[in-house]
Amino acid sequence: MKNRILPPLKPNNRDREYNFYSDELKAQVIYEHLFNNKMHRWMDINVLGANGNTNGRNSANILYYLGLKADYRGFFEGQSIDEVIEILNSKGERYADVVRLLKVQAKTSRLYETVISDIEAQEIEEGNYVEGTKKSYFVNKYERDPKNRKKAIEIHGLNCWVCSFNFEEVYGERGRDFIEIHHIKPLSTLQEAVVINPATDLVPLCANCHRMIHRRKAEILTIDQLKDLIK
Ligand SMILES: [Zn+2]
Ligand SMILES: [Zn+2]
């Protein structure tokens, strides 16, 4: 697959659409064309925001200007964007514009994936995560149980264990008695009921540190690991 011969590039000089649209939109048009086999009309409507009467000329002219004709449609289907950037890079200058725009698209996709995974981690933490078809609620009852929380605050105080942040010091009355409570055993190991010892199992954390600890659902940090990160 990697060494297939690329169709010839057939660029033209009609640059009106190419100059009109932003790099982000052009990058997405190229991506949909090369990787997702999308038709010009579909891209005009769904990427470039044209109304339903479009004949697809806008995205077609962007692609034609770069020399990407119909034989490139879906040509890289199933390949990763980084892999294709590497292939086209090795073909020299003539692909420079395409490579530049694919890099824009790669950055956008990465940010999008990060945002999705952040929202997922937050939903797990908030206890309303739904995975696949089977609903599995990881209700974070240990961190949220008011009795546990009150006990933990009485024992450990209201300062973040990682960065010492204190909500009342910064926010005044609005922040009084506020701190988040974190259970130091990863959530996934807490599927069945266990007895919680607030003295050893729960720690106070500010909202920032708490979110960073849970940010990657497959890799929940320990208190010491997070302390090392902010040293
Ligand atoms: Zn903190
Ligand atoms: Zn937590």
Side-chain angles (χ1 to χ4, degrees):
M1 191 147 182
K2 245 184 166 170
N3 295 316
R4 284 176 311 164
I5 293 170
L6 298 176
L9 271 189
K10 298 173 196 152
N12 66 24
N13 296 319
R14 187 200 184 90
D15 62 359
R16 201 164 72 95
E17 285 79 8
Y18 188 83
N19 290 332
F20 178 77
Y21 289 102
S22 70
D23 278 356
E24 282 70 25
L25 289 176
K26 286 185 296 222
Q28 208 185 327
V29 164
I30 292 169
Y31 179 75
E32 298 293 355
H33 179 72
L34 295 178
F35 293 81
N36 292 335
N37 217 354
K38 294 294 189 197
M39 308 298 285
H40 296 152
R41 200 169 165 277
W42 185 95
M43 294 187 284
D44 267 24
I45 295 169
N46 294 286
V47 179
L48 301 178
N51 67 37
N53 300 324
T54 180
N55 54 16
R57 291 312 285 172
N58 296 334
S59 50
N61 283 334
I62 291 171
L63 294 164
Y64 293 165
Y65 175 76
L66 292 165
L68 299 168
K69 292 292 183 73
D71 42 12
Y72 269 98
R73 183 152 66 83
F75 189 79
F76 296 116
E77 211 167 9
Q79 286 183 264
S80 83
I81 192 162
D82 290 330
E83 186 184 349
V84 172
I85 287 172
E86 207 185 305
I87 294 171
L88 297 183
N89 232 342
S90 72
K91 305 289 177 192
E93 262 305 296
R94 46 203 176 108
Y95 284 96
D97 285 340
V98 177
V99 166
R100 185 180 67 81
L101 289 167
L102 283 180
K103 283 179 178 168
V104 170
Q105 182 62 22
K107 207 171 149 193
T108 309
S109 325
R110 256 192 296 276
L111 181 59
Y112 188 69
E113 276 161 29
T114 306
V115 166
I116 298 265
S117 120
D118 281 346
I119 289 172
E120 206 174 276
Q122 192 173 343
E123 283 179 345
I124 291 173
E125 180 68 356
E126 285 167 359
N128 40 33
Y129 181 64
V130 181
E131 191 173 35
T133 51
K134 152 179 159 277
K135 281 188 179 181
S136 45
Y137 293 93
F138 297 87
V139 179
N140 201 340
K141 54 187 175 186
Y142 306 100
E143 295 182 357
R144 273 151 199 272
D145 179 289
K147 275 189 247 108
N148 284 339
R149 188 180 276 242
K150 178 172 166 292
K151 258 257 131 58
I153 290 173
E154 283 166 359
I155 296 166
H156 303 297
L158 290 157
N159 291 349
C160 174
W161 265 32
V162 173
C163 72
S164 306
F165 188 91
N166 179 288
F167 281 88
E168 189 178 2
E169 273 170 25
V170 175
Y171 296 106
E173 189 273 331
R174 185 83 183 188
R176 184 180 304 155
D177 293 337
F178 181 79
I179 194 75
E180 295 194 4
I181 294 299
H182 170 64
H183 193 286
I184 58 177
K185 286 175 195 155
L187 220 52
S188 55
T189 67
L190 287 176
Q191 299 285 17
E192 64 223 49
V194 286
V195 180
I196 294 294
N197 180 348
T200 54
D201 300 342
L202 301 175
V203 297
L205 290 178
C206 76
N208 281 352
C209 291
H210 199 189
R211 177 66 24 86
M212 287 301 106
I213 276 189
H214 284 282
R215 188 175 181 207
R216 297 193 185 130
K217 60 177 174 164
E219 182 212 356
I220 294 166
L221 299 177
T222 65
I223 299 293
D224 284 340
Q225 282 172 324
L226 192 65
K227 276 185 180 167
D228 283 342
L229 285 188
I230 64 171
K231 251 175 200 162

